[in-house]
Amino acid sequence: MGWFRCYQSRMQLTRILVLFLCVLAGNAQFPEKLTLNPCISKSSCHDCIQTPSCAWCYKPDFGERARCFQPSNPGSKSCPEEYVWNPDNVLQVLVARELSKAHAAGGSAGGTMESGWSVEGSSSHSSSGSSSWSAHGSSSGGGSFGESNIVQISPQKVNLKLRARQSYSFQMHYTQAEDYPVDLYYLMDLSKSMEDDKDKLSLLGNLLAESMRNLTSNFRLGFGSFVDKVVMPYVSTVPKNLREPCTGCAAPYGYRHAMRLDTDTNRFSTMVKEAAVSGNLDAPEGGFDAIMQAVVCRDEIGWREQARRLLVFSTDAGFHYAGDGKLGGIVKPNDGLCHMDNYGLYTHSSLQDYPSISQINLKVKQNAINLIFAVTEQQIGVYKRLQESIEGAFSGQLSNDSSNIVDLVKEQYQQISSTVEMKDNAKSNIKINYYSQCLDESGGVKKTNKCGNIKVGDVITFRVEIEVTQCPKDPKDWKQTLQIYPVGLNESLTIDLEMLCSCPCEHPGHKGFIEKADECHGFGTFKCGICECDHSHFGRYCECSASEMDNIKDTLGCRVDNTSTVDCSGRGSCVCGKCECNLRTNEEEKVYGNFCECDNFSCDRHEGKICSGHGTCECGVCQCVEPWGGAACDCRMSNETCFAPGVLDGEICSGHGECKCGSCKCESTEEGRYSGRFCEKCPTCSDRCEEFKHCVQCQMYKTGPLDEEECAKNCTKFTPIGVDKVEAKEENDENLCAFYDEDDCRFAYVYYFDEHNKVAVKAQQERECPAKVYLLGIVLGVIAAIVFMGLAVLLLWKLFTTIHDRREFAKFEKERMMAKWDTGENPIYKQATSTFKNPTYAGKG
């Protein structure tokens, strides 16, 4: 039996390998089919329905066709509808109480606000159509606005049946209720350094309550304190110091619950004032012990079921966390349970370690508590990093004497209450996405689980998209209960999720489940149309047994020779020593042969057709029909199509190439490289343009060396077709020719071979002749222009000189008129003659 089990395992592995190779072979030939139809490789019903868009046919006599198929495929209607299993994604609303509406002015009940909601199922690919849902909840209309009637989340409970790897969407709504109850528990560090903070807080108790009552009339306040574990090295264990660790200090303790949540603010102030400070040795405090107890001791603290729960943690120091207890010899981990005596003292402070950050986060989430760290400036950086690891935690900077505690709590509460953040407890195999428009009516829906700036009465709609990424291995995990909740509130949407990971026909009681079925030769269970054999039989219908295989050595009958290591050429299953070849999704494709070595679809293809459509595929080789040949029957064996029409010498490929498969393969020569359909083109060689030139001239333009009689006699191969513009089209294999005639006129034409393989010519309708030039007119015009320009220059010169002279004369006249003396009075003026007098001459002879 050991040999048989080994052999059976080997056979199962071989079948999987064969199936995989078959899929790969189909993918190699038709990749689009595998992409569009992922169902063909699924061999069981549960694997099939865990694949999106697939359905299973459990009809007993379905033959060898693939049972897993796509209902959307037009060719998949061969299975009767009553034998198709294609489950829908179904959402059933169990509880859908309406959202609470705001108060009326006098504080009386204001009724409820109806909150309609819808379901958006993704494509279920089922045989019956689209997804469905039904509601069986009731609304909480009217009545008093008591705590039990406050509804901020709708719906509250749904039942969802969901297939693997399919998503399902529905809407949920959130609103902030008016005057929502608030429980605030103040947890204070009462080491010596916080003494001035305690005195300030005792005076601010009534102010804190009054400030919170402006936000909600239903407000309760509680108080507790902490120091550290009463063991070394956290606290001095000297007997004297255990009684009074510092002057005027009380004995040290771990955590003490002083006041249960209550509306009596005067008692709060009294309790804070009467609380005595204590002392410890190291800088960090035992605040985590206190937080854990304040969170989990719900009855002792007095946390209400339906209220916004705020735990204000006030300190000026760091914190001890899991592992630090080993310094004091405490190795027992924190159990996360409540350990508080009748006096409010934490009894396990010296018995178990500090809680870890993850434990704090878990308990805060489970109890829907918003943790607010009110710490001094020196510690604000550490606690801001800490808040990132605790859901619903916030932090604010406390003044040195805690005088700003009222504003800090009020600010943090407003920040908490004006923001909604949706969380869930989904496991790794379930993915939940949230989409919302928040309050931005003009914006689009975006992927987010958090909305801010919410006021009382605002309704926030989230579209929740749930997807089962894969079915868990353990069937017990196919049913799970999910919670979607707003952080810090004790309300949630409960989802009873049932994963559709198996088929009813795979379980007893269904008509498709038959034990020891005749279809399986009585040696197996007939499940969903396939046989599941017992340990001593195998095969598609359990037709093979271990005793029969004793006469067959391994799988020798399924291999071509002793050197082969693959059964049935990798394209079939070895059943009882014989090959059963795999079936193809395309019924026209066959795998055959004693060893599945042959097929009719793996031959060479040309232009997407097997054997080019000119032959048949037999055992992987093309059998071509006349006159075709070649590996893919794409080669024409005749040379008739390699002769250029109108060629006088009748050479194959114009004498510049060879005919292969009915096409010309042109050659390269020293003169140039030939190209074209018949190797008639050569850019650097002479072509047939000269051959057709004179005929085009005489036939089209009545010019050229040929007269009318010679033209009619020699030009019989073609008749030019007149066109306005000549262009050579490459797709028609046209050749462009252009010449200038004796009149210096340009004419162009193209020649090509028409569908009858005859020469055709398209010529320019009119020649492009240069315009006549009148030389005498040009010469006379140039001379006249030169004379005119000369006269114009002389006239301009004369004009400029005249203007200049007149300006100078006018200037002279102006200066003469403005002179102050004439020639007789001017002292500078000198006569033309000089007169001399002799001073010694007296007039006497």
Side-chain angles (χ1 to χ4, degrees), residues 159-348:
N159 187 296
L160 177 61
K161 296 181 179 180
L162 185 59
R163 291 178 62 170
R165 293 192 286 278
Q166 287 189 6
S167 60
Y168 200 97
S169 298
F170 63 90
Q171 290 184 348
M172 64 178 298
H173 307 281
Y174 166 82
T175 188
Q176 180 185 345
E178 184 180 10
D179 210 23
Y180 193 69
V182 175
D183 288 347
L184 190 150
Y185 189 80
Y186 198 91
L187 187 58
M188 188 174 186
D189 176 8
L190 280 188
S191 57
K192 182 65 175 178
S193 60
M194 293 286 288
E195 186 172 11
D196 56 340
D197 301 75
K198 179 185 75 72
D199 296 337
K200 180 65 68 173
L201 180 63
S202 65
L203 301 176
L204 298 177
N206 290 327
L207 183 60
L208 176 62
E210 182 180 352
S211 176
M212 291 300 297
R213 286 200 178 98
N214 290 333
L215 301 175
T216 175
S217 61
N218 199 343
F219 174 70
R220 300 195 310 171
L221 195 61
F223 174 69
S225 61
F226 64 91
V227 181
D228 211 337
K229 293 183 181 296
V230 189
V231 294
M232 284 291 290
Y234 318 112
V235 171
S236 175
T237 56
V238 177
K240 177 183 177 182
N241 292 335
L242 286 176
R243 292 190 300 272
E244 187 178 5
C246 52
T247 304
C249 294
Y253 55 91
Y255 161 68
R256 175 179 288 143
H257 168 53
M259 175 183 172
R260 182 182 170 89
L261 290 167
D262 201 339
T263 57
D264 190 352
T265 56
N266 292 325
R267 181 165 174 261
F268 174 82
S269 300
T270 301
M271 295 296 294
V272 174
K273 185 176 182 180
E274 291 178 353
V277 297
S278 185
N280 60 330
L281 293 179
D282 61 344
E285 314 291 5
F288 275 18
D289 274 344
I291 291 175
M292 177 61 75
Q293 295 303 301
V295 170
V296 300
C297 296
R298 298 179 59 171
D299 294 336
E300 290 78 359
I301 302 297
W303 297 113
R304 286 178 288 184
E305 284 297 324
Q306 198 165 38
R308 178 80 70 175
R309 304 167 184 171
L310 306 180
L311 176 59
V312 181
F313 181 83
S314 175
T315 184
D316 62 350
F319 48 85
H320 284 293
Y321 51 88
D324 287 358
K326 295 180 180 179
L327 297 173
I330 303 174
V331 296
K332 183 179 180 181
N334 194 287
D335 58 10
L337 301 177
C338 179
H339 301 284
M340 192 182 298
D341 61 14
N342 295 331
Y343 300 99
L345 287 175
Y346 176 37
T347 59
H348 284 51

Side-chain angles (χ1 to χ4, degrees), residues 482-553:
L482 307 179
Q483 298 284 340
I484 298 178
Y485 57 91
V487 174
L489 287 180
N490 193 28
E491 294 185 53
S492 64
L493 165 61
T494 302
I495 302 175
D496 292 331
L497 177 64
E498 180 181 352
M499 305 179 194
L500 303 177
C501 296
S502 64
C503 306
C505 55
E506 294 178 318
H507 304 285
H510 191 271
K511 64 179 181 179
F513 185 93
I514 305 174
E515 293 181 340
K516 297 182 179 180
D518 295 337
E519 292 85 350
C520 305
H521 293 82
F523 301 116
T525 303
F526 194 64
K527 293 183 180 180
C528 300
I530 58 176
C531 287
E532 185 178 283
C533 305
D534 57 27
H535 294 292
S536 59
H537 291 81
F538 57 94
R540 185 175 285 115
Y541 302 105
C542 305
E543 67 273 24
C544 300
S545 65
S547 58
E548 293 175 352
M549 292 306 298
D550 290 340
N551 300 323
I552 302 175
K553 185 178 181 181

Side-chain angles (χ1 to χ4, degrees), residues 595-608:
F595 306 100
C596 301
E597 73 278 10
C598 294
D599 62 65
N600 66 345
F601 55 83
S602 62
C603 292
D604 291 343
R605 296 170 181 264
H606 180 69
E607 296 181 350

Side-chain angles (χ1 to χ4, degrees), residues 15 81 96 154-155 195 211 285 320 330 354 372 469 528 573 634 768 782 794:
R15 292 173 187 173
E81 187 173 348
S154 182
E195 186 172 11
S211 176
E285 314 291 5
H320 284 293
I330 303 174
Y354 300 98
I372 301 175
T469 57
C528 300
S573 301
D634 57 342
E768 298 175 5
V782 170
L794 288 174

